[in-house]
Amino acid sequence: MPSVSPCVNDNTALAGINVALVVIAMRLSELIIIYLAAAAPVGVAYFLRQHAHARRATQLLRAAAVALIWPLTLLSHLLTEQRTVRQARNTDRTRRTHETRITTAERALVNTLHQVNDLSSDAYGARSARARQAATDARASVERFVGLALTVSTEKSEAEPTERELEVYRVAGRKGADLLVAGRCVHRRNHARLRAHYEQARNRLIHALAELLETIEQSLPARAGDAERFAQLYWLIIRIFAQAIDLLSLLDDRATATAVARLLDAACAWARRHDVLDLPRTNAAQIGGALCPPSTQPTSLTHPTPQPTA
């Protein structure tokens, strides 16, 4: 058998190593190309999102650095998005819970106003027309005020304009920054109008509750042949003011709650003068009436004059 030279074996081994190195280099170059191809969109997106006042060289360096570490960049972006979504869900859940409490308090107040309407009709018949109309006006004022209060709490004057607010100017041919400025002006004007309607509804609510108290005091006799019926009616009036204060506290409207608290004090003072509070407390508990606080000083006011809030 012919013998194989050691040099031939060495050359074959070197050739195999060279081929392996070439394959590895090709694979490595392909991986680098793929990595940079995936990094390019990340760098471009980061560059476009940077503030315009930054220096161009600084923007390019930051974009290049972000592109080179694009896996970490995408991971950080994903974690930030998840955190933002989680916070938005928690905020939305909290807001819905708060709105549910407000809706429940509003429904309780409206139901008590319905009870005043029914009880006054049963006890006084046609003589209670003014009182029943006052209760109806109070219900409408409560519903309007709560609806506007919830809307105002979610609207922001500095928020971006909606598509509906931009539509007219878009049809008129405005574009770009000019369209955005016009939309912001319309959004601020709409927000100012909404605030004006809210302030008007607040004043109407105070006057409607004061009118209800005044109408019952002046239109309905203190003793309609049934002291218990009269006591129940006035306990319901006191309960209305207490529920209104609770509702306004949920809406974080301290000024209006203070005005309604004065009405509550006036109702309690009137009830004391007519010995309503001396009737059995069980009757008040049965209708859910709120107990009046003890009187600290005598008062001659029938009801306070509601002051419009700013």
Side-chain angles (χ1 to χ4, degrees):
M1 274 181 74
S3 61
V4 179
S5 174
C7 295
V8 174
N9 293 333
D10 293 341
N11 292 335
T12 303
L14 290 175
I17 294 173
N18 289 333
V19 171
L21 291 175
V22 170
V23 172
I24 293 174
M26 292 178 61
R27 294 290 183 269
L28 184 60
S29 63
E30 291 175 355
L31 291 176
I32 293 175
I33 292 173
I34 295 173
Y35 185 89
L36 294 178
V42 178
V44 172
Y46 181 82
F47 179 79
L48 295 177
R49 289 182 179 181
Q50 291 186 88
H51 298 291
H53 58 77
R55 294 182 180 180
R56 186 57 59 87
T58 304
Q59 290 179 343
L60 290 174
L61 290 175
R62 289 178 179 175
V66 168
L68 290 177
I69 57 172
W70 66 266
L72 297 179
T73 302
L74 293 181
L75 180 60
S76 175
H77 179 72
L78 179 61
L79 294 177
T80 302
E81 287 293 325
Q82 290 180 348
R83 189 182 305 111
T84 302
V85 171
R86 192 181 304 111
Q87 291 176 352
R89 288 178 178 175
N90 293 336
T91 302
D92 186 62
R93 188 181 301 109
T94 303
R95 180 182 58 82
R96 288 200 304 268
T97 303
H98 185 64
E99 289 182 357
T100 300
R101 294 176 60 191
I102 293 174
T103 303
T104 303
E106 177 192 7
R107 189 181 302 113
L109 176 56
V110 171
N111 289 339
T112 306
L113 287 167
H114 276 295
Q115 293 178 24
V116 169
N117 194 334
D118 296 339
L119 183 60
S120 59
S121 179
D122 294 340
Y124 296 94
R127 302 174 63 182
S128 64
R130 286 188 57 194
R132 287 186 281 112
Q133 183 60 45
T136 301
D137 294 341
R139 288 199 306 270
S141 299
V142 169
E143 293 170 350
R144 175 179 172 82
F145 172 77
V146 173
L148 287 172
L150 292 176
T151 304
V152 168
S153 65
T154 57
E155 289 286 336
K156 296 181 180 180
S157 60
E158 300 301 327
E160 293 298 323
T162 62
E163 290 295 328
R164 180 175 297 179
E165 292 169 335
L166 295 173
E167 186 65 26
V168 175
Y169 296 100
R170 185 181 291 109
V171 173
R174 296 193 177 188
K175 299 179 180 178
D178 188 36
L179 174 64
L180 184 59
V181 170
R184 286 175 177 172
C185 292
V186 173
H187 181 78
R188 290 172 183 172
R189 183 193 64 187
N190 293 339
H191 183 76
R193 289 179 175 177
L194 183 63
R195 290 288 307 182
H197 285 298
Y198 168 71
E199 298 294 339
Q200 186 180 23
R202 172 195 288 174
N203 293 332
R204 285 183 178 178
L205 173 63
I206 299 174
H207 284 278
L209 294 177
E211 180 69 19
L212 175 62
L213 176 61
E214 181 179 5
T215 301
I216 290 181
E217 289 178 358
Q218 296 180 359
S219 300
L220 302 183
R223 301 295 182 186
D226 189 348
E228 186 176 354
R229 283 283 186 91
F230 179 76
Q232 288 179 353
L233 178 62
Y234 226 86
W235 275 116
L236 286 175
I237 296 298
I238 294 173
R239 183 186 180 192
I240 285 174
F241 295 137
Q243 289 176 334
I245 293 173
D246 293 339
L247 176 61
L248 293 167
S249 299
L250 291 174
L251 293 171
D252 197 20
D253 193 338
R254 297 182 180 179
T256 311
T258 302
V260 177
R262 296 193 186 101
L263 294 174
L264 174 61
D265 292 339
C268 290
W270 194 93
R272 292 189 187 95
R273 290 197 301 272
H274 289 80
D275 299 328
V276 173
L277 300 183
D278 294 334
L279 294 176
R281 297 294 180 90
T282 55
N283 295 334
Q286 290 175 359
I287 62 172
L291 297 180
C292 290
S295 178
T296 56
Q297 58 183 3
T299 177
S300 60
L301 292 178
T302 301
H303 64 85
T305 302
Q307 299 294 331
T309 54

